[in-house]
Amino acid sequence: MRISKLSLAVLALVISASAAQAQTNNASITATATVQTPINVIGAQALNFGNVFPGVNKTVAATDLTNAGRFDVTGQASTPVTLSFTLPATLSSGANTMPIDTYTGVHADNVAQTGGTAFNPVTGASPTLSATGGLFVWVGARVVPATNQAQGVYTANVTMTVVY
């Protein structure tokens, strides 16, 4: 019996020593997310070619504050964005079409285009929103009416997509 009591005592000592050596520890971290100001895009002004005559090309420059198409963008201040465009190849009037063969663009922090940057809408642009979260984008183009272009009002949609 004595050996078995001694064996039990040694076993209890080993178990309690093992339990005394076991340690646990933990830590925690904080998970955070900051929701940014959503992007808002407004088609502020139509691209207006005005009167066009058969066989006479007409260009509206992106720097033409009166006739160039304009988009107004608002979002998170001083944040880079990517501009991409869906650009029509033609304007339509019923079954009749008139080609658009070139596009130009300017983006600026202000509506006066002061310090604006020229870009090609076909390839898009990657500007940064102003310190107040604004951006103005103008689009110009050239139409190429045929010498027998049918009379009518020709239209198409130019779409700009802005992504953070």
Side-chain angles (χ1 to χ4, degrees):
M1 276 292 204
R2 195 167 199 158
I3 294 176
S4 69
K5 284 184 181 181
L6 182 61
S7 296
L8 286 174
V10 168
L11 181 62
L13 187 58
V14 168
I15 290 173
S16 67
S18 294
Q21 290 178 353
Q23 293 183 357
T24 62
N25 198 348
N26 62 39
S28 63
I29 60 171
T30 302
T32 62
T34 303
V35 177
Q36 301 293 310
T37 303
I39 295 174
N40 188 34
V41 181
I42 297 171
Q45 179 173 289
L47 172 56
N48 183 8
F49 292 99
N51 294 326
V52 176
F53 298 95
V56 180
N57 297 348
K58 182 140 186 203
T59 300
V60 172
T63 55
D64 181 341
L65 296 177
T66 303
N67 296 304
R70 189 182 92 211
F71 295 94
D72 296 355
V73 181
T74 56
Q76 185 66 37
S78 304
T79 302
V81 294
T82 300
L83 309 178
S84 61
F85 294 83
T86 303
L87 303 167
T90 60
L91 299 178
S92 299
S93 178
N96 300 311
T97 61
M98 181 174 19
I100 300 176
D101 73 345
T102 57
Y103 283 94
T104 59
V106 172
H107 59 78
D109 290 349
N110 57 70
V111 75
Q113 288 189 0
T114 307
T117 302
F119 71 97
N120 183 347
V122 173
T123 56
S126 297
T128 297
L129 299 179
S130 71
T132 59
L135 182 70
F136 298 89
V137 180
W138 291 265
V139 175
R142 181 173 77 168
V143 291
V144 184
T147 56
N148 64 345
Q149 191 73 51
Q151 178 182 352
V153 176
Y154 289 74
T155 62
N157 290 323
V158 174
T159 303
M160 183 179 76
T161 301
V162 183
V163 178
Y164 278 131

